[in-house]
Every structure is written in structure tokens, then in C-alpha cells.
Amino acid sequence: MSLTRRTLALAGVAGLGAGLGLTACAPRATGGQTILNAVDVHPADYPTVTAVKWMGEELGRLTDGRIGIRQFPAGQLGTEDDSIGLTRFKAIDICRVAVAALNNAFPETRLLALPYVYRDERHVRAVVDGEIGTELLNVFEGRNLIGLAYYDAAPRSFYNVRHPVTEPGQMHGLKMRAPQSDIFLDSIRAMGANPTPLTFGAVFSSLQTHLIDGAENNWPSYQSSRQFEVARYWSDTQHSFSPDALLMSKASFEQLTPADRELVRDVARRSVQVMRVEWDKRQAEARAAVLAAGTQIAQVDRAAFAATVRPVLDKYLSEPRLRALHERIAAVA
């Protein structure tokens, strides 16, 4: 069976009972070679896609070609929500998704997405690289996923088609795209805008048609999706340092030998540094490109924005377990 978007969409629905297409799309062992299928909504040259490409090359090198990765970037097989479901049910083997897409199903990941929790990029990297990051990779196994790594995807800021925004009062009345995460919906609402949940792929056309007035994301996504062509007012809120998660189907993972499982984990961990080198470079390039194209950057009163979302933090940190984890995150140097 060919690995097409239609086949996988059907597999994701019917696979709950009948398993249509799931076994066909599992890790394929042909002539002693195992090929893992990996998906991403970002284009082929995006840092997360580049990192997974490196993983495939490194696995091939270390196993003399016995294990490899076949990639499907640019949303070929659906949205991030599609990717999560298809990976859970073994229609595909590996997916890279924004943590926001996982917040509702995996409450512990909310600590990675809450606004104004992290001081800067260095802080969030120290958290996901340490003991807390390991704990937060282990939360997925109960729902048929294996957490392999966290990739950079921050900082995130707002941009819109209407006017410069420097303080929260100027957000009032703006319809802002939000990832399909309760945290992002609540945060955007607390800042004064009207949150509109949309998939990443729908943002550009929604900005063009004024279904929405703006969105929030990082420099590379803003540039690679061409959203800067229609939304030229960037507000440097840096409200979220939410990372991305690299996940693997638990069923696919358990089909590997114990030695190969550890190899996949190790190569995924090492791919983080590959990704970060590409990420740092891509952030600078994307920022320069959109400024050259006419994007206007507004410096903002971050303290004022942080104050608006304090009730959101209080709401999500009311559970003792999450509050304790938050305190540990704050203590990371």
C-alpha cells in the first residue's frame, strides 16, 4: 500500500478498530532494512526537518544502512493533530509537533507552553536538556507514544495586519490565530485579543482574507510560511518559549530490538544540537529577510503583557503537581 495522505487519513479513522493501512505503514523491514516514516508540517529546509534528516543519515551510518528514515515534510500527510493520531496508531513512525498540540492530552506539557514562564532561550534549553526534560519526555508512553527529544521553537511573538502593538490595550478587538491549545486560547484572551483556533497551514489565507487580523509564532515560521507578506506589524512580546516535541509510535519503537531502541533514542538526543545550530542560523536569516521585505518591529512593554496573563498561570498552576514542577523550572539556572 502506498503511503499517501488519503490512505493515512483513512487509517487514522478506521485504524481504531479495523487497522486499515496501519500495518502497511509500520516500520518496513525489506531485505533486512528498516525504514521509519517521519512527518512534519514545515518545509524541507526547516531546522526540525533538517535535524530528522540528519537522524536518518546517522542511523544509516551506524547500522550500515540497516535503519533509515523516509521523510514527508510540508504537511504532506496532514496537520499536526493528524500527525499525532497517525503516530499513536502506528500509521506513521515519527512526528514532530508543537508542544501546544499536546497540552490538552498531556497536562504536564503545559509547563512548557505557559506564557512568561521562561526567562529566555537559554533557560528553556537548560530545562529540556536536564532532569525535568527527561521527565516530560516520559509522559507520552501512556498514550502509545515515545518522547524522543524536544526541539527549539521560540521565542514566539505576535504579528498582525492592522497596526503596531506595543502594549496590551492595543490588542483589543484583534482576532488572533491561536494554536488548538487551551493555554494559548486563554493567554491570548487574557492579553485582550479574540483568539481564533486555526491549524498552522490555514493562517496565511486567513490573514489574506481577514478572517483573522494576526497570529503569533517564531521568526522562522513567520518567514517560511510567507505570513510576513500580509502581516507586517511584528510585536516583540516573546510571550512563549514553547518548544516542539519529536515523538515516535510506541508500537513501532517496540518492534525494534532493544539495542536499536537505544540507538534511536541516542541519535534523537544528539539531533537536538544539530537542530539548534540550524535554528540559530535560521532565526537570524529569517529576521533579516522579513525586515528587508518591510516588516516593522515594535518593542513592547513585556512586563505589562506578563501581568495580563498572571490569572492564566494561576489557573493552570492550581494543581499541586504542576505548581511544584513550575517551581523547579523557575529554579533552573
Side-chain angles (χ1 to χ4, degrees), residues 42 45-51 121 124-125 151-156 217-222 224 241-244 272-286:
H42 290 305
D45 63 346
Y46 200 83
T48 55
V49 181
T50 301
E121 201 165 35
V124 72
R125 285 178 174 180
Y151 285 160
D152 288 21
R156 298 172 74 103
N217 219 309
N218 52 57
W219 287 114
S221 294
Y222 174 62
S224 67
F241 283 83
S242 179
D244 290 346
V272 172
Q273 297 307 317
V274 174
M275 188 273 174
R276 286 179 182 169
V277 169
E278 290 296 316
W279 181 254
D280 291 344
K281 177 183 175 185
R282 184 62 176 266
Q283 277 204 103
E285 292 175 347

Side-chain angles (χ1 to χ4, degrees), residues 47-163:
T48 55
V49 181
T50 301
V52 174
K53 179 182 179 182
W54 176 89
M55 276 184 63
E57 293 169 348
E58 183 71 353
L59 286 168
R61 183 182 71 82
L62 293 172
T63 63
D64 293 325
R66 185 171 50 80
I67 300 177
I69 293 178
R70 179 188 294 115
Q71 292 184 278
F72 296 87
Q76 292 179 49
L77 303 182
T79 66
E80 290 192 341
D81 283 345
D82 295 332
S83 299
I84 295 166
L86 294 169
T87 306
R88 285 184 64 206
F89 296 105
K90 204 174 127 179
I92 53 179
D93 306 303
I94 296 172
C95 69
R96 191 286 323 157
V97 296
V99 158
L102 301 164
N103 290 164
N104 293 346
F106 302 95
E108 295 89 345
T109 65
R110 294 171 183 170
L111 272 300
L112 295 170
L114 282 170
Y116 295 106
V117 165
Y118 299 94
R119 296 183 293 273
D120 50 31
E121 201 165 35
R122 180 176 174 275
H123 184 202
V124 72
R125 285 178 174 180
V127 169
V128 299
D129 287 349
E131 181 180 326
I132 296 172
T134 299
E135 292 175 22
L136 293 177
L137 282 176
N138 292 336
V139 302
F140 303 109
E141 291 196 38
R143 299 193 69 176
N144 302 321
L145 294 166
I146 298 292
L148 294 178
Y150 285 112
Y151 285 160
D152 288 21
R156 298 172 74 103
S157 293
F158 288 103
Y159 44 93
N160 77 91
V161 302
R162 300 294 183 186
H163 54 71

Side-chain angles (χ1 to χ4, degrees), residues 260-278:
D260 285 345
R261 291 176 205 165
E262 183 52 40
L263 180 63
V264 169
R265 283 191 187 273
D266 176 66
V267 172
R269 282 192 293 266
R270 290 192 287 120
S271 77
V272 172
Q273 297 307 317
V274 174
M275 188 273 174
R276 286 179 182 169
V277 169
E278 290 296 316

Side-chain angles (χ1 to χ4, degrees), residues 17-30:
L20 176 60
L22 296 185
T23 55
C25 300
R28 300 184 181 185
T30 305

Side-chain angles (χ1 to χ4, degrees), residues 1 6-25 91:
M1 183 182 294
R6 176 171 172 76
T7 297
L8 290 174
L10 291 170
V13 176
L16 296 173
L20 176 60
L22 296 185
T23 55
C25 300

